[in-house]
Amino acid sequence: MNSVTDLKILVADDNRSDRMILKAIVRREGHQVIEAENGHEAVTMYDQFQPDIILMDALMPVMNGLEATRLIKSRAGGELIPIIFLTSLQDAHSLAECLESGGDDFMSKPYSQVILKAKIKAFSRMRVMHAQLEAHNKQMVLEQQVAKAVFDNVAHSGCLDLPNIRYSLSPMAVFNGDTVLAERKPDGSLVLFLGDFTGHGLPAAIGAMPLAEIFYGMVAKGFSIEEVLREVNSRLYSILPTEVFCCAAMVELNLYGKSLRAWVGGVPDLYLHQQQSSQIQKIRSDSLPLGVLEPHAFNPRVTEWPMANGDRIFLWSDGIVEAENTEGEFFGEPRLEALFNGTDSEALFDLILFEVERFSSGVGHSDDITLLTAAMVDIETLGMPRFDASRGAIGGPLDWRMSLELGPQSLKAFNPLPMILNTLVEVEGLRSHSGELYTLISELYSNALEHGVLRLDSKQKASADGFARYYNQREQRLSALESGQVTFRLGHSPEAEGGRLTIELEDSGPGFDYAKANRSADTPSVHYGGRGMALVEKLCDQLQYEGKGNRVTAVFRWPRLESR
Amino acid sequence: MSQEYSEDVMHLDTQVLRELQQLLGDDFPDLVETFLKDSTQRIGELELTIESTVAEDVRYAAHSFKGSSLNLGAVRLSELCRQLEEMALHGRLYRSSECLEQIKVEFDLVAAELQNNLN
């Protein structure tokens, strides 16, 4: 390791005899001596020889020791070059001045060998430790850069660049644990997530990685937000230390149903801005943050809201409301709410950022605000999601049959759609149609469950109050369900250049008079669930009701022809 | 005032000299010669600066001489220089010539003793 020998020591003193004495002492300790006669020469010698330690006389002609010290210290940058002042200055003021100019220590005349030796040893040790510290810091900065790059890839992938989404995320998010995610479900629905990890720095942000993986994976497979939240909560609960958790909100925009499903746990109220009435619906946080509750104690409560085209949902972390100005005032909720008055939906995002920036200018960083907003649009505006068709076998199973019967307990607690979709896309030819297939099975299943088994009346969904009532009723009836079932019967057979998929759903409900039913897309009917049926008909080649009307069969052929 | 410490303070600290001798070995005579030459120059400088009555220059020169003489163990000489430095610091140069005379006298003593030491 480093021993205290063979250092390069610069001796700067305008007095020849003093220099000679110092030189002798330093040489005797086994070090190399570089001499300078004045401050100016001291700086030159420093530049040329890069000494390890400098012995600097305070008062020198041409340039004095203090000035030379200032220059040398500024040239040294992050490196520690100990400078010991040689002085017979006695008064505290002068000594303080020496230290202020950057000096690290004093030595008074007459020079003592013993003392100088001790000082050289001590400062040499300090220099080594300092160099180690610098090296560690550099290493840490590099690691943080890598972490930031990985984090950015995770946090910024997904579909945040869709035309109906706008977001603001601090470039330093990796160090404050803010996360913003967006992904499409197979039926084209849009799921958004905003998370604010407690704690600071890298440890806080690390939780975002598994969270994002789970989110993207599950949403793309068609899992509901409750299922995603459960899985995320479980993972975070198991991996995060007790004091770290994630305040978050997750919302799903159903582009066909024109509705919003929302879960809020620990972040400030979400605002649902209705364009026509210019009203705000506040969606309050009524759940604990993610990673706090044990898996079996975590029951995410999701609320449902109608959302028309042009309506916007706003999700944010507490950075907006807690933004401070120079007088120490907070931006606060009243100010935020006031911004929504009479402002056009599309202008709100920019207005919020602008006003917070203006309020807090001079204090902190306004680009630390985390804000996510999305507007309801028609599916045509966004198109159907494209999924990675590279997984799975070539060909896959071509001739098969499968049936799945779900009783009351399963209907209450299990979402069969992701599993069924996963099976269907094992057929290579169906893979690129996962969006249509998911929409198809989703609509048929929800009709069978809600209208068949639970006997809900979809006419209610027409009004805002009725909407809430409908979903309340759905929840009540489902949790009270004692009997009933929904059965899937699926089959696939090969055809000429492709294949033929048959999807049959049967429910235990009373059925309906399908022969007389009105199939217009605009008139919701008891058993059609409104838009759903028109959509389903568009998606498949054949749709047939059978029996009492509680059994329906859809046929889906591939490859698809343009005309279909 | 200027004669205050004459009895208590020695002309040359032999302990310091012995240590220097040990430290420098064969180079010790060089050191002494350097000191004597530089000191003579320094005294000339003091004369000029006192004449010019630029207090700051007197102060710097006295300060420097004070330091080098202390390093050679010439304690009384160093003390006299300190007094001169003090005067110059406060701009009171009216006694400076007197002080310089004492410095010269003291230096001659020190020089003589150093020469003896060498032989």
Side-chain angles (χ1 to χ4, degrees), chain A residues 15-16 18 28 59 110-111, chain B residues 22 38 60 63 68 70-71:
Chain A
N15 206 298
R16 266 200 310 167
D18 288 348
R28 187 164 256 224
L59 291 173
Y111 300 143
Chain B
Q22 247 188 343
D38 284 356
Y60 278 144
H63 177 87
S68 60
L70 195 55
N71 265 333

Side-chain angles (χ1 to χ4, degrees), chain A residues 14-15, chain B residues 37-46 61 64-65:
Chain A
D14 61 332
N15 206 298
Chain B
K37 226 194 292 189
D38 284 356
S39 300
T40 314
Q41 214 175 7
R42 193 67 77 183
I43 288 172
E45 213 181 294
L46 278 168
S64 192
F65 198 12

